[in-house]
Amino acid sequence: MSADAGQGIRLHDWRTSQGWEPDWDPAYWSPQAAFRRCRRWISATRRRRWTTWILVAVFVLFVFPGVVSAFATAETDTDTTASSINSATSWMDIHDSSGVPLSNYMFVTNHGSLLHPGNTLLSSMILLVFAPWGLIVTTWNWVVGKTFSFGWLDMIGSPLQKAAEDLTDQIATPVLLALAVTIGAFPLAVFIIRGYPARAVTGLVAVFVVAMLSPFVLEHPLEDVVSSSGLLAQGRNIGIAVAAGLNGNNNPDSTQLVATMQAEMVDNYARRPLQVVNFGHLIDEKPACKAAWSAGMKAGNEDQVKKGLKTCGDSAAYAAADNPSWAQFGGMLLLLLMAIVSFISFGYMSVRVIWTALDAIYYGFLMIFGFAAGGYIYGPTQTWTIRCAVHAFYAASLMATNIIFSATVMLLMNSLFEQA
């Protein structure tokens, strides 16, 4: 037993001997003493500790936000509803096929009041799941769209080309060229003297090939890699054309197809699943309800969505929007899980495409050193120059392969969602 505990027992015994009752002792009922007794009681067993932490977590995550929302709703004298619009992602400018911004999507429900705390609690729980779902879906749609449209390559292409041109001006000088040719001629002369004419001819042919290609490579370095008509862009166009052809489109425009594919992805991964979870069925099946839902989402007004559903005659959707349920909460959890899986899958595909482009840019920079000097010297430097050129073309073919796989998967998934 600790000294503090022993001292506390002795003090208690002394007070009892003096006729003091613990129930009437002010020090016994002080907040500090009550807190210490409560803490000792909770930490006595593992079950009490787990139960306490679970209750605290439930209160912080669900009860407290519900109470705050209820008071906020009760104190306002205007007809407003809580908004679930994520303005932090509006700059990504992602739209569905009807032109509705993905950042404007809302979960339309009854947010309750002081007289209906159950609806307040349940709607708050649904919005707690809806918020990360909207952020994840918007983010991975933006990443995929930017990756396949090569918008990121356009941003870094001009600075990289400028850097490559400055590097070429510093390296590709007549003095360095003369030095490289002189050094490269020495091993060829040794081969001829020692009776190896085949090696000498092979090295000489390689030098002539490098000399003929050097003006084209060094005049505008990296232009053949990062320009709109370069190797990477051509690989992207071939990949999208093949993927579209596999999906039934025989004459695709790569730019238009990427925009259409992104809008269809928003419809299939965000708009339609959200409608099914929110209202129990697909709103877009009725043109009037589809227009009402789109108008309400564009305006960012849940009441407008409810009135539009009531006007278009979808009483089931109106009832679902006015009565939050545990089924809606479970459906949002499922959508959140699907969004995380989709983010990982399509994020990995996007990383592969971007990594392939960066690999080509890296070897494009190395080719400057090769065609400026290294390619004229027989041996490892000449082999290294040829390898860099081969890697640049290989990156373009790998770009086409990655985009064929990624675009085919996305287009097939869009078709499956449309059929479902």
PDB file of all heavy atoms in Angstrom, residues 151-163 221-222 226-227 361:
ATOM      1  N   GLY A 151      -2.906  17.041 -68.068  1.00  0.00           N
ATOM      2  CA  GLY A 151      -2.842  18.423 -67.616  1.00  0.00           C
ATOM      3  C   GLY A 151      -1.626  18.698 -66.760  1.00  0.00           C
ATOM      4  O   GLY A 151      -1.036  19.776 -66.817  1.00  0.00           O
ATOM      5  N   TRP A 152      -1.220  17.716 -65.954  1.00  0.00           N
ATOM      6  CA  TRP A 152      -0.037  17.879 -65.109  1.00  0.00           C
ATOM      7  C   TRP A 152       1.230  17.952 -65.960  1.00  0.00           C
ATOM      8  O   TRP A 152       2.183  18.655 -65.610  1.00  0.00           O
ATOM      9  CB  TRP A 152       0.061  16.712 -64.139  1.00  0.00           C
ATOM     10  CG  TRP A 152       0.147  15.373 -64.831  1.00  0.00           C
ATOM     11  CD1 TRP A 152      -0.890  14.606 -65.248  1.00  0.00           C
ATOM     12  CD2 TRP A 152       1.335  14.676 -65.200  1.00  0.00           C
ATOM     13  NE1 TRP A 152      -0.443  13.469 -65.850  1.00  0.00           N
ATOM     14  CE2 TRP A 152       0.928  13.480 -65.837  1.00  0.00           C
ATOM     15  CE3 TRP A 152       2.683  14.930 -65.058  1.00  0.00           C
ATOM     16  CZ2 TRP A 152       1.834  12.564 -66.326  1.00  0.00           C
ATOM     17  CZ3 TRP A 152       3.595  14.012 -65.545  1.00  0.00           C
ATOM     18  CH2 TRP A 152       3.157  12.839 -66.168  1.00  0.00           C
ATOM     19  N   LEU A 153       1.246  17.221 -67.104  1.00  0.00           N
ATOM     20  CA  LEU A 153       2.427  17.255 -67.965  1.00  0.00           C
ATOM     21  C   LEU A 153       2.555  18.601 -68.664  1.00  0.00           C
ATOM     22  O   LEU A 153       3.666  19.088 -68.901  1.00  0.00           O
ATOM     23  CB  LEU A 153       2.363  16.135 -68.989  1.00  0.00           C
ATOM     24  CG  LEU A 153       3.617  15.899 -69.836  1.00  0.00           C
ATOM     25  CD1 LEU A 153       4.802  15.555 -68.937  1.00  0.00           C
ATOM     26  CD2 LEU A 153       3.383  14.791 -70.854  1.00  0.00           C
ATOM     27  N   ASP A 154       1.420  19.216 -68.991  1.00  0.00           N
ATOM     28  CA  ASP A 154       1.469  20.546 -69.595  1.00  0.00           C
ATOM     29  C   ASP A 154       2.031  21.578 -68.624  1.00  0.00           C
ATOM     30  O   ASP A 154       2.707  22.532 -69.031  1.00  0.00           O
ATOM     31  CB  ASP A 154       0.067  20.967 -70.047  1.00  0.00           C
ATOM     32  CG  ASP A 154      -0.475  20.065 -71.163  1.00  0.00           C
ATOM     33  OD1 ASP A 154       0.356  19.470 -71.878  1.00  0.00           O
ATOM     34  OD2 ASP A 154      -1.698  19.952 -71.299  1.00  0.00           O
ATOM     35  N   MET A 155       1.748  21.401 -67.320  1.00  0.00           N
ATOM     36  CA  MET A 155       2.235  22.367 -66.333  1.00  0.00           C
ATOM     37  C   MET A 155       3.746  22.290 -66.162  1.00  0.00           C
ATOM     38  O   MET A 155       4.415  23.311 -65.981  1.00  0.00           O
ATOM     39  CB  MET A 155       1.535  22.132 -64.989  1.00  0.00           C
ATOM     40  CG  MET A 155       0.058  22.484 -64.986  1.00  0.00           C
ATOM     41  SD  MET A 155      -0.673  22.388 -63.334  1.00  0.00           S
ATOM     42  CE  MET A 155      -0.489  20.642 -62.982  1.00  0.00           C
ATOM     43  N   ILE A 156       4.293  21.064 -66.188  1.00  0.00           N
ATOM     44  CA  ILE A 156       5.735  20.924 -65.956  1.00  0.00           C
ATOM     45  C   ILE A 156       6.522  20.839 -67.257  1.00  0.00           C
ATOM     46  O   ILE A 156       7.752  20.890 -67.231  1.00  0.00           O
ATOM     47  CB  ILE A 156       6.026  19.679 -65.104  1.00  0.00           C
ATOM     48  CG1 ILE A 156       5.667  18.397 -65.884  1.00  0.00           C
ATOM     49  CG2 ILE A 156       5.271  19.740 -63.794  1.00  0.00           C
ATOM     50  CD1 ILE A 156       6.035  17.124 -65.147  1.00  0.00           C
ATOM     51  N   GLY A 157       5.831  20.706 -68.400  1.00  0.00           N
ATOM     52  CA  GLY A 157       6.530  20.522 -69.669  1.00  0.00           C
ATOM     53  C   GLY A 157       7.374  21.719 -70.067  1.00  0.00           C
ATOM     54  O   GLY A 157       8.555  21.588 -70.406  1.00  0.00           O
ATOM     55  N   SER A 158       6.785  22.920 -70.003  1.00  0.00           N
ATOM     56  CA  SER A 158       7.522  24.123 -70.418  1.00  0.00           C
ATOM     57  C   SER A 158       8.732  24.398 -69.533  1.00  0.00           C
ATOM     58  O   SER A 158       9.833  24.658 -70.048  1.00  0.00           O
ATOM     59  CB  SER A 158       6.573  25.323 -70.426  1.00  0.00           C
ATOM     60  OG  SER A 158       5.535  25.135 -71.381  1.00  0.00           O
ATOM     61  N   PRO A 159       8.605  24.352 -68.200  1.00  0.00           N
ATOM     62  CA  PRO A 159       9.808  24.554 -67.372  1.00  0.00           C
ATOM     63  C   PRO A 159      10.886  23.507 -67.618  1.00  0.00           C
ATOM     64  O   PRO A 159      12.084  23.835 -67.630  1.00  0.00           O
ATOM     65  CB  PRO A 159       9.270  24.471 -65.935  1.00  0.00           C
ATOM     66  CG  PRO A 159       7.834  24.811 -66.054  1.00  0.00           C
ATOM     67  CD  PRO A 159       7.400  24.266 -67.368  1.00  0.00           C
ATOM     68  N   LEU A 160      10.473  22.262 -67.831  1.00  0.00           N
ATOM     69  CA  LEU A 160      11.466  21.213 -68.076  1.00  0.00           C
ATOM     70  C   LEU A 160      12.168  21.416 -69.428  1.00  0.00           C
ATOM     71  O   LEU A 160      13.378  21.193 -69.539  1.00  0.00           O
ATOM     72  CB  LEU A 160      10.799  19.840 -68.027  1.00  0.00           C
ATOM     73  CG  LEU A 160      10.390  19.338 -66.638  1.00  0.00           C
ATOM     74  CD1 LEU A 160       9.665  18.004 -66.744  1.00  0.00           C
ATOM     75  CD2 LEU A 160      11.603  19.215 -65.723  1.00  0.00           C
ATOM     76  N   GLN A 161      11.407  21.820 -70.434  1.00  0.00           N
ATOM     77  CA  GLN A 161      12.043  22.085 -71.726  1.00  0.00           C
ATOM     78  C   GLN A 161      13.020  23.246 -71.629  1.00  0.00           C
ATOM     79  O   GLN A 161      14.110  23.201 -72.220  1.00  0.00           O
ATOM     80  CB  GLN A 161      10.966  22.397 -72.769  1.00  0.00           C
ATOM     81  CG  GLN A 161      10.139  21.189 -73.189  1.00  0.00           C
ATOM     82  CD  GLN A 161       9.236  21.502 -74.369  1.00  0.00           C
ATOM     83  OE1 GLN A 161       9.651  22.129 -75.329  1.00  0.00           O
ATOM     84  NE2 GLN A 161       7.993  21.050 -74.301  1.00  0.00           N
ATOM     85  N   LYS A 162      12.663  24.276 -70.878  1.00  0.00           N
ATOM     86  CA  LYS A 162      13.576  25.402 -70.689  1.00  0.00           C
ATOM     87  C   LYS A 162      14.844  24.953 -69.962  1.00  0.00           C
ATOM     88  O   LYS A 162      15.972  25.338 -70.340  1.00  0.00           O
ATOM     89  CB  LYS A 162      12.869  26.502 -69.900  1.00  0.00           C
ATOM     90  CG  LYS A 162      13.730  27.713 -69.577  1.00  0.00           C
ATOM     91  CD  LYS A 162      14.235  28.403 -70.834  1.00  0.00           C
ATOM     92  CE  LYS A 162      15.017  29.654 -70.475  1.00  0.00           C
ATOM     93  NZ  LYS A 162      15.635  30.306 -71.642  1.00  0.00           N
ATOM     94  N   ALA A 163      14.677  24.124 -68.928  1.00  0.00           N
ATOM     95  CA  ALA A 163      15.848  23.626 -68.197  1.00  0.00           C
ATOM     96  C   ALA A 163      16.725  22.755 -69.097  1.00  0.00           C
ATOM     97  O   ALA A 163      17.960  22.820 -69.037  1.00  0.00           O
ATOM     98  CB  ALA A 163      15.390  22.842 -66.969  1.00  0.00           C
ATOM     99  N   PRO A 221      15.697  19.734 -76.950  1.00  0.00           N
ATOM    100  CA  PRO A 221      15.684  18.571 -76.062  1.00  0.00           C
ATOM    101  C   PRO A 221      14.378  18.470 -75.278  1.00  0.00           C
ATOM    102  O   PRO A 221      13.773  19.486 -74.904  1.00  0.00           O
ATOM    103  CB  PRO A 221      16.875  18.820 -75.132  1.00  0.00           C
ATOM    104  CG  PRO A 221      17.095  20.288 -75.181  1.00  0.00           C
ATOM    105  CD  PRO A 221      16.707  20.725 -76.554  1.00  0.00           C
ATOM    106  N   LEU A 222      13.920  17.265 -75.077  1.00  0.00           N
ATOM    107  CA  LEU A 222      12.682  16.926 -74.360  1.00  0.00           C
ATOM    108  C   LEU A 222      11.419  17.276 -75.130  1.00  0.00           C
ATOM    109  O   LEU A 222      10.320  16.928 -74.696  1.00  0.00           O
ATOM    110  CB  LEU A 222      12.625  17.595 -72.988  1.00  0.00           C
ATOM    111  CG  LEU A 222      13.536  17.037 -71.885  1.00  0.00           C
ATOM    112  CD1 LEU A 222      13.206  17.705 -70.562  1.00  0.00           C
ATOM    113  CD2 LEU A 222      13.410  15.544 -71.753  1.00  0.00           C
ATOM    114  N   VAL A 226       7.858  15.497 -74.044  1.00  0.00           N
ATOM    115  CA  VAL A 226       6.792  16.129 -73.262  1.00  0.00           C
ATOM    116  C   VAL A 226       5.860  17.005 -74.097  1.00  0.00           C
ATOM    117  O   VAL A 226       4.885  17.532 -73.555  1.00  0.00           O
ATOM    118  CB  VAL A 226       7.399  16.983 -72.128  1.00  0.00           C
ATOM    119  CG1 VAL A 226       8.206  16.118 -71.190  1.00  0.00           C
ATOM    120  CG2 VAL A 226       8.260  18.108 -72.691  1.00  0.00           C
ATOM    121  N   SER A 227       6.123  17.198 -75.368  1.00  0.00           N
ATOM    122  CA  SER A 227       5.246  18.058 -76.167  1.00  0.00           C
ATOM    123  C   SER A 227       3.926  17.346 -76.458  1.00  0.00           C
ATOM    124  O   SER A 227       3.767  16.146 -76.224  1.00  0.00           O
ATOM    125  CB  SER A 227       5.939  18.445 -77.484  1.00  0.00           C
ATOM    126  OG  SER A 227       6.128  17.304 -78.308  1.00  0.00           O
ATOM    127  N   ILE A 361      11.086  11.301 -68.968  1.00  0.00           N
ATOM    128  CA  ILE A 361      11.736  12.608 -68.824  1.00  0.00           C
ATOM    129  C   ILE A 361      13.152  12.437 -68.274  1.00  0.00           C
ATOM    130  O   ILE A 361      14.100  13.122 -68.699  1.00  0.00           O
ATOM    131  CB  ILE A 361      10.892  13.516 -67.906  1.00  0.00           C
ATOM    132  CG1 ILE A 361       9.556  13.844 -68.595  1.00  0.00           C
ATOM    133  CG2 ILE A 361      11.641  14.786 -67.558  1.00  0.00           C
ATOM    134  CD1 ILE A 361       8.584  14.583 -67.712  1.00  0.00           C
TER     135      ILE A 361
END
